[in-house]
């Protein structure tokens, strides 16, 4: 039931600065920063963290000190800026799949213009479809759907209006992460990935690899998601790298592994050196059996587990999906009648008209039909794709909004929705006789846009909830979301393309044309989408590995473990999940100490805790620094300067590889100690 007695912080009759040029510009800047950071993080770790609260915290501090912003302007800043994070997640989780389609047919569409177009269209679709749902989900069910991030963000904005310097700790984390990144990625004083691998000749434990990317962003992510999820993630990595790989390396001959790599395109042929694991054709062996087995077999098992985990997550929410869709449809008519005219309507109830939704949806279909940068051999084919996008979009935007209202954006089963969309699209294609590799890019477009739209709808719902609590004008928020989606998409596409360009160091380690898909940027969800796309439309899939992974996810679910988190951990390198686990363990220790003092915190108080704010700074600072350094390394002139600055070779010569790794681990431990000490403060 709706809370009819609810009163927003700023009353409807109050006139206050809200939709101003400075609020939009500041929001766009934050959208660019957090969009680029999320892109980097999602490509490396397959994970994202919510940007709304960090943006609100920083907006309050900067706005009060330098720009004299009102609470409603601060709300517009965080609304505009948060669009970048959700769109970046949708883009990274799907569009890299173009690189992995059959015979390279999708690579021509992995260009900046296509990525930009799909990001903008998906972002706009997610916001469009939320316009008629706001009154039914945000207003009428205010007492039923908590929208946890949106409620917490609204509380942050109100608390900031009352006073308090929240952002100082976040800025400390930001500065710490930047300094750490310079020492690690520019001067190379801190090792990036300390590792230890047992020998292939080891009788009991061959080719087991322990490794960790000891970066600020991973520690920050681990702290934010907490010990439970971080533990499940690293458990998947332990299974893959310390159980499956040693077992397979003792059972499968090197030449058989190399043949499988040739089949998958990771190795030219058995007489050519290189590829994943660095194949030596003269000795008929690998320098790194662990990497070779990972790419030949374990990655496909992990992809099957991720697919099953996403689908299981979706199935578990079916009752919620059915109830939410029925309830939302029944209220759209009323919402449409009320939004037809804003005359006499209180400021806090003014939405954009349903005409905007109808005309915007029609425009999206027509643009998709006629734009040359999108896949499709005829206008009719593209029209069908556009119709599928709008139909699936209307359904899954509703589902996404309802689910994040109950369990939060972090638990939104976007992967499951995208898998269902992709499978449904492929089945429609098969029904009309469209089979084969030529239709793979078209199916991926539908899945990609729905993923972006559903992710953005979840974020939009949280923003509208924040606005409802503080007393914002909905139509201004909706316009701000459109602006944020367009501006952040410009930078997200650039970031993806820059990160996909292999640096000289990557090339030296066997990465050729694309860094995305390599161990540097695994892009697990994008690889999975391509795998499913190919498997359904072309049949070129090693189903035995995928099915094994699916039953691995089912086993975890039967054990009461979150199968999707475990599956993502099984797919990713252990070097990604291990440092995330360290951050989660620190959070677990902090929580344990708090429980011993019988100190209970409300959700919004936890979000504003010093540990969370410092961790947010580590994530944002580490990811943004990673993007900046990656961009600089993409230019020959600056890459030369960066190479002259690094001290790695000298340190290894002086200390040995082991000593160099120990120094890196000591720095990482110091960062963890700082995080713990700050988190323990009141």
């Amino acid at each position: 039931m709706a809370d009819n007695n609810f009163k927003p912080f700023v009353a409807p009759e109050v006139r206050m600065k809200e939709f101003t040029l400075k609020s939009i510009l500041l929001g766009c800047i934050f959208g660019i920063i957090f969009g680029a950071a999320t892109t980097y993080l999602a490509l490396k770790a397959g994970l994202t963290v919510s940007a709304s609260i960090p943006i609100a915290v920083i907006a309050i501090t900067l706005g009060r000190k330098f720009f004299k912003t009102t609470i409603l302007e601060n709300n517009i800043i965080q609304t505009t800026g948060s669009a970048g994070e959700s769109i970046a997640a949708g883009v990274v989780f799907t569009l890299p799949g173009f690189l992995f389609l059959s015979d390279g047919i999708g690579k021509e569409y992995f260009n900046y213009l296509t990525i930009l177009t799909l990001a903008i269209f998906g972002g706009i679709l997610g916001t469009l479809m939320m316009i008629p749902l706001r009154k039914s989900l945000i207003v009428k069910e205010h007492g039923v759907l908590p929208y946890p991030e949106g409620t917490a963000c609204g509380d942050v904005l109100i608390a900031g209006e009352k006073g308090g310097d929240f952002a100082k700790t976040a800025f400390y984390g930001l500065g710490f992460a930047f300094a750490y990144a310079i020492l690690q990625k520019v001067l190379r004083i801190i090792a990036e990935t300390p590792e230890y691998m047992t020998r292939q000749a080891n009788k009991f434990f061959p080719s087991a690899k322990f490794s960790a990317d000891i970066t600020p962003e991973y520690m920050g992510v681990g702290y934010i998601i907490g010990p439970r999820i971080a533990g499940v993630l690293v458990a998947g990595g332990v299974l893959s790298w310390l159980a499956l790989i040693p077992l397979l390396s003792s059972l499968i001959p090197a030449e058989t592994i190399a043949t499988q790599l040739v089949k998958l395109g990771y190795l030219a042929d058995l007489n050519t050196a290189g590829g994943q694991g660095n194949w030596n054709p003269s000795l008929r062996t690998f320098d790194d059996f662990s990497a070779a087995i990972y790419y030949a077999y374990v990655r496909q098992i992990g992809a099957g587990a991720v697919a099953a985990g996403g689908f299981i997550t979706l199935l578990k929410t079916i009752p919620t999906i059915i109830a939410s869709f029925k309830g939302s449809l029944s209220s759209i008519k009323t919402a449409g009648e009320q939004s037809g005219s804003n005359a006499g309507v209180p400021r806090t109830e003014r939405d954009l008209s349903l005409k905007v939704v109808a005309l915007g949806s029609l425009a999206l279909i027509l643009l998709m039909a006629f734009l040359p940068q999108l896949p499709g051999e005829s206008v009719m084919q593209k029209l069908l794709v556009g119709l599928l996008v709008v139909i699936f979009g209307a359904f899954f935007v509703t589902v996404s909004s309802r689910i994040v209202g109950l369990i939060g954006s972090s638990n939104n089963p976007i992967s499951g929705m995208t898998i269902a969309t992709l499978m449904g699209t492929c089945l429609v294609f098969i029904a009309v006789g469209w089979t084969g590799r030529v239709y793979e890019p078209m199916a991926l477009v539908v899945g990609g846009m729905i993923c972006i739209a559903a992710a953005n709808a979840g974020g939009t719902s949280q923003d509208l909830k924040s606005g409802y609590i503080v007393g914002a004008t909905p139509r201004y928020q909706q316009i701000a979301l459109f602006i944020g989606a367009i501006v952040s998409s410009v930078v997200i596409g650039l970031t993806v393309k820059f990160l996909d360009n292999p640096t000289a160091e990557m090339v030296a380690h066997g990465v050729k044309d694309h860094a995305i898909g390599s161990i540097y940027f695994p892009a697990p969800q994008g690889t999975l989408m391509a795998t499913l796309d190919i498997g359904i439309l072309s049949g070129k899939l090693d189903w035995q590995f995928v099915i094994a992974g699916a039953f691995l996810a089912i086993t975890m679910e039967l054990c009461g473990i979150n199968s999707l988190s475990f599956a993502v951990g099984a797919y990713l390198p252990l070097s990604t999940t291990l440092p995330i686990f360290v951050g989660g363990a620190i959070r677990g220790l902090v929580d344990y100490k708090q429980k011993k003092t019988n100190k209970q915190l409300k959700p919004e108080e936890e979000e504003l805790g010093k540990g969370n704010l410092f961790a947010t700074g580590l994530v944002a600072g580490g990811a943004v620094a990673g993007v900046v350094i990656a961009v600089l390394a993409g230019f020959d002139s600056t890459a030369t300067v960066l190479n002259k600055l690094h001290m790695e070779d000298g340190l290894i010569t002086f200390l040995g590889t082991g000593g160099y790794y120990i120094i890196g681990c000591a720095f990482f431990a110091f960062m963890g100690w700082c995080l713990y000490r700050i988190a323990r403060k009141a």
Side-chain angles (χ1 to χ4, degrees):
M1 295 294 292
D3 184 358
N4 296 321
N5 298 317
F6 175 77
K7 302 294 182 186
F9 183 75
V10 179
E13 60 272 13
V14 172
R15 294 293 178 266
M16 182 185 292
K17 287 183 178 180
E18 183 175 7
F19 191 77
T20 60
L21 181 61
K22 63 182 175 184
S23 65
I24 291 296
L25 289 177
L26 284 170
C28 288
I29 291 170
F30 286 128
I32 289 169
I33 293 171
F34 280 90
T38 301
T39 303
Y40 178 85
L41 191 62
L43 282 172
K44 282 187 74 70
L47 298 167
T48 62
V49 291
S50 177
S52 295
I53 292 173
I55 291 174
V57 167
I58 297 171
I60 290 167
T61 302
L62 294 182
R64 187 191 304 128
K65 289 187 176 180
F66 301 107
F67 302 103
K68 308 301 179 186
T69 51
T70 67
I71 185 174
L72 297 187
E73 285 180 307
N74 288 336
N75 182 60
I76 290 293
I77 292 170
Q78 77 85 17
T79 297
T80 309
S82 64
E85 175 256 331
S86 54
I87 291 173
V91 167
V92 173
F93 288 170
T94 53
L95 300 190
F98 280 125
L99 294 174
F100 315 119
L101 297 179
S102 297
D103 303 324
I105 194 171
K107 290 184 178 180
E108 65 178 291
Y109 300 111
F110 194 71
N111 59 72
Y112 175 71
L113 189 58
T114 301
I115 294 171
L116 172 66
T117 303
L118 294 176
I120 291 175
F121 285 3
I124 288 175
L125 180 65
T127 302
L128 272 179
M129 296 300 175
M130 271 305 301
I131 291 172
L133 296 175
R134 189 193 71 85
K135 287 181 180 176
S136 62
L137 296 181
I138 308 298
V139 178
K140 290 185 178 180
E141 299 202 47
H142 177 62
V144 178
L145 298 176
Y147 287 97
E149 289 94 346
T151 299
C153 194
D155 291 339
V156 168
L157 290 166
I158 292 170
E161 189 72 6
K162 294 178 179 178
D165 191 358
F166 300 112
K168 185 182 293 184
T169 307
F171 283 122
Y172 286 155
L174 199 72
F176 191 105
F178 258 96
Y180 189 101
I182 290 171
L183 290 173
Q184 184 176 56
K185 299 179 186 296
V186 177
L187 300 179
R188 305 283 183 89
I189 294 172
I190 303 173
E192 288 201 48
T193 311
E195 64 179 32
Y196 171 76
M197 185 170 66
T198 61
R199 296 176 182 272
Q200 172 62 15
N202 188 303
K203 182 178 180 181
F204 303 104
F205 202 38
S207 296
K209 182 186 287 187
F210 299 83
S211 59
D213 293 334
I214 49 175
T215 62
E217 58 268 26
Y218 285 170
M219 180 175 284
V221 166
Y223 187 92
I224 291 168
I225 65 177
R228 174 64 181 173
I229 298 176
V232 173
L233 274 171
V234 80
V238 168
L239 176 70
S240 290
W241 292 85
L242 303 180
L244 292 180
I245 288 176
L247 176 63
L248 293 174
S249 68
S250 64
L251 296 175
I252 305 175
E255 197 158 323
T256 303
I257 299 170
T259 303
Q260 175 69 5
L261 290 174
V262 171
K263 175 185 174 182
L264 296 173
Y266 292 121
L267 183 64
D269 55 65
L270 295 183
N271 296 317
T272 303
Q276 300 298 340
N278 198 13
W279 170 249
N280 187 323
S282 58
L283 298 177
R284 292 324 230 199
T285 190
F286 292 97
D287 289 344
D288 186 344
F289 268 84
S290 183
I293 292 171
Y294 170 69
Y295 281 96
Y297 305 108
V298 173
R299 218 169 183 233
Q300 295 186 81
I301 295 171
V306 172
F311 206 68
I312 289 168
T313 306
L314 186 65
L315 288 175
K316 287 161 69 176
T317 57
I318 279 181
T320 304
I321 290 171
I322 295 172
S324 66
F325 199 64
K326 285 182 178 178
S328 301
L329 282 177
S330 64
S331 62
I332 284 177
K333 182 179 179 181
T334 305
E337 292 170 355
Q338 293 177 351
S339 64
S341 171
N342 282 318
V345 177
R347 177 185 59 80
T348 53
E349 296 178 20
R350 295 176 184 171
D351 291 277
L352 291 174
S353 169
L354 275 182
K355 293 178 181 177
V356 174
V357 181
L359 293 175
S361 301
L362 180 61
L364 279 178
I365 293 172
L366 293 175
L367 285 170
M368 291 188 68
F370 290 100
L371 285 177
Q373 63 263 38
L374 301 183
E377 296 181 336
S378 68
V379 171
M380 291 305 296
Q381 285 185 353
K382 292 185 177 184
L383 274 174
L384 177 59
V385 170
L387 283 170
L388 288 173
V389 164
V390 171
I391 292 169
F392 280 123
F395 179 73
F396 282 118
V397 162
T398 303
V399 171
S400 178
S401 179
R402 172 73 68 159
I403 289 174
V404 302
L406 290 170
I407 58 178
S409 297
S410 301
N411 300 305
N412 195 3
I414 295 295
S415 294
M417 297 180 202
T418 310
I419 290 166
T421 299
L422 190 60
M423 293 176 70
T425 301
C426 290
L427 292 175
V428 170
F429 283 7
I430 291 171
V432 297
W434 295 358
T435 57
R437 66 186 186 89
V438 70
Y439 299 105
E440 291 173 14
M442 294 168 59
L444 192 61
V445 164
V446 179
M449 282 193 61
I450 298 309
C451 185
I452 297 165
N456 193 41
T460 295
S461 302
Q462 303 289 2
D463 293 333
L464 293 174
K465 183 71 166 186
S466 301
Y468 181 64
I469 291 170
V470 302
T473 307
R475 65 179 299 161
Y476 289 153
Q477 281 192 283
Q478 290 155 0
I479 295 170
L481 284 160
F482 286 133
I483 295 171
I486 294 169
V487 172
S488 59
S489 294
V490 173
V491 178
I492 289 166
L494 287 173
T495 305
V496 169
K497 290 304 293 180
F498 263 112
L499 295 180
D500 186 47
N501 185 36
T503 63
E505 180 185 356
M506 293 178 185
V507 172
H509 285 84
V511 179
K512 294 183 179 179
D513 300 322
H514 299 279
I516 293 176
S518 71
I519 199 166
Y520 296 96
F521 297 109
Q525 290 90 345
T527 310
L528 166 65
M529 300 309 163
T531 300
L532 291 173
D533 197 351
I534 295 168
I536 297 172
L537 291 178
S538 301
K540 296 180 179 178
L541 189 63
D542 288 324
W543 283 104
Q544 66 271 36
F545 303 119
V546 175
I547 291 172
F551 277 99
L552 175 62
I554 291 170
T555 302
M556 293 301 108
E557 202 67 42
L558 292 172
C559 292
I561 295 169
N562 185 314
S563 59
L564 184 56
S565 297
F566 185 90
V568 170
Y571 181 93
L572 290 171
L574 184 62
S575 59
T576 297
T577 56
L578 190 55
I580 290 174
F581 174 69
V582 172
I586 294 171
R587 174 65 176 269
L589 184 58
V590 171
D591 291 346
Y592 172 74
K593 292 287 187 180
Q594 284 181 342
K595 284 181 181 178
K596 285 189 70 175
T597 59
N598 294 319
K599 187 175 182 181
Q600 298 294 327
L601 297 178
K602 298 178 181 178
E604 60 269 22
E605 290 175 328
E606 285 191 9
E607 294 287 356
L608 291 173
K610 286 184 178 292
N612 253 30
L613 292 175
F614 188 77
T616 296
L618 291 179
V619 174
V624 171
V627 172
V628 171
I629 294 168
V631 169
L632 293 175
F635 298 100
D636 292 338
S637 55
T638 50
T640 302
V641 174
L642 291 175
N643 287 333
K644 289 180 179 178
L645 291 174
H646 80 71
M647 303 167 63
E648 179 180 355
D649 294 339
L651 286 171
I652 290 176
T653 301
F654 181 68
L655 299 169
T657 302
Y660 179 59
Y661 286 164
I662 289 171
I663 288 179
C665 292
F667 272 98
F668 191 68
F670 174 71
M671 180 166 57
W673 179 81
C674 291
L675 175 58
Y676 173 78
R677 293 284 295 177
I678 289 171
R680 290 284 293 137
K681 293 181 180 178

